[in-house]
Amino acid sequence: MERTCETGGVAARIEELKKRHGGDLVILGHHYQSDDVIRHVDIVGDSLELARRIPEIEARNIVFCGVYFMAESACLLARPGQKVFLPDHEADCAMARMARAEDVERVLERLAASGRKVVPLAYVNSSLAVKAVVGRFGGAVCTSSNAKVMLEWALGQGEAVLFLPDRNLGRNTARTLGIAAGEQALLDLAGDNLDSEEVRRARLILWPGCCPIHDRLMKPEMVDAFHSHFPGCRVLVHPECTPEVVDRCDGAGSTAYLIKEVEKAAAEGKESTLCIGTEFHLVHRLMEKFAGRLNVIPLAQASCADMEKVTAERLLATLEGLEEGRGEVLVDEALKAPARDSLVRMLENCR
Ligand code: 13P
Ligand code: SF4
């Protein structure tokens, strides 16, 4: 991408401040961040990789370039005395906002009252308060990389699982485990179907949330159009896409899986073109990285407006205000222990 003098100045200043803070500072960034931010990041990863790397970080200050729930998870896994910063606190995840802790708690209490043991499994894209509720009800967290392992684990802990907030990841994962559609029930929070026969029978109860980017901007007909323009070429998507999209694709998996498939295809040289259905900043980076070796095509120009709120300018402002605590993420101490329980259950099951 073209760079202006001004963005060049911001970049130089960020690098200067990084040098000045030295070992006291580590910058983490999710793959969906823009190139202007990624170029300053020390550790790039998907949400699972980034969570796994936190405990090994010794720096006093961790600046997290991603969305709010990721920075909250970093706070949970950080050492005492370490501080976590997010360059824009408005950078929240639209899907995470679809499950409020008080609603999750109310639903779990109602489900428990029916006498069945329903274990909650929360996608990591959820607030710390939701993770705390899940932890208190004996549940765990999962990411798109380990949703299958964690759903198997959760099914083994009780009679049914409440999967939240992403109904698509829940359904797509259920398919890989052979859980039939008839064994699943989608919650209707407004209509209140908690006491319905369908919910009472279900092994998998799905929260009605989704990622607006993957759910609404990536459509089955786009996959068909790609296949007819590029016969024999593969379409790979993130499992936050609808099952109708996943059905027509040649593979679905986490951010880490999508990156590995692109790297593998470029290294093997057997495929000329690969279509990737996930957030556009990542796909664009892969397009540029492998240009000339592999034609990487985005399924849709779908970027995450929340991830985009973290800009190089805001990263610079955070670094300039580090000592005053500008952009620091503070989490409710009372929620830390139960939320950590739910995260640790995932990390222990997915070593
Ligand atoms: P990963 O868990 O693959 O990093 O994805 C996070 C996310 O927000 C996907 O939209
Ligand atoms: Fe949330 Fe979707 Fe953005 Fe991922 S892409 S952070 S799930 S809104």
Side-chain angles (χ1 to χ4, degrees), residues 32 67 69-70 92-96 123 125 210-214 240 279 304-307:
Y32 291 176
V67 288
F69 76 82
M70 296 178 180
D92 202 353
C93 162
M95 180 194 325
Y123 188 24
N125 293 41
C210 65
C211 163
I213 290 94
H214 290 87
E240 286 175 12
E279 208 275 346
C304 174
D306 284 305
M307 287 278 182

Side-chain angles (χ1 to χ4, degrees), residues 18 28 32 70 83 92 102 136-138 152 158-159 165 167 175 184-185 189 192 196 201 230 276-277 292 332:
K18 278 186 72 177
L28 268 60
Y32 291 176
M70 296 178 180
K83 289 181 177 178
D92 202 353
E102 52 271 39
R136 282 198 282 108
F137 278 82
E152 252 179 326
E159 289 143 88
R167 59 174 184 234
R175 278 191 184 181
Q184 303 172 32
L189 296 175
D192 190 352
S196 68
R201 281 195 180 172
F230 298 94
I276 301 294
D332 184 341

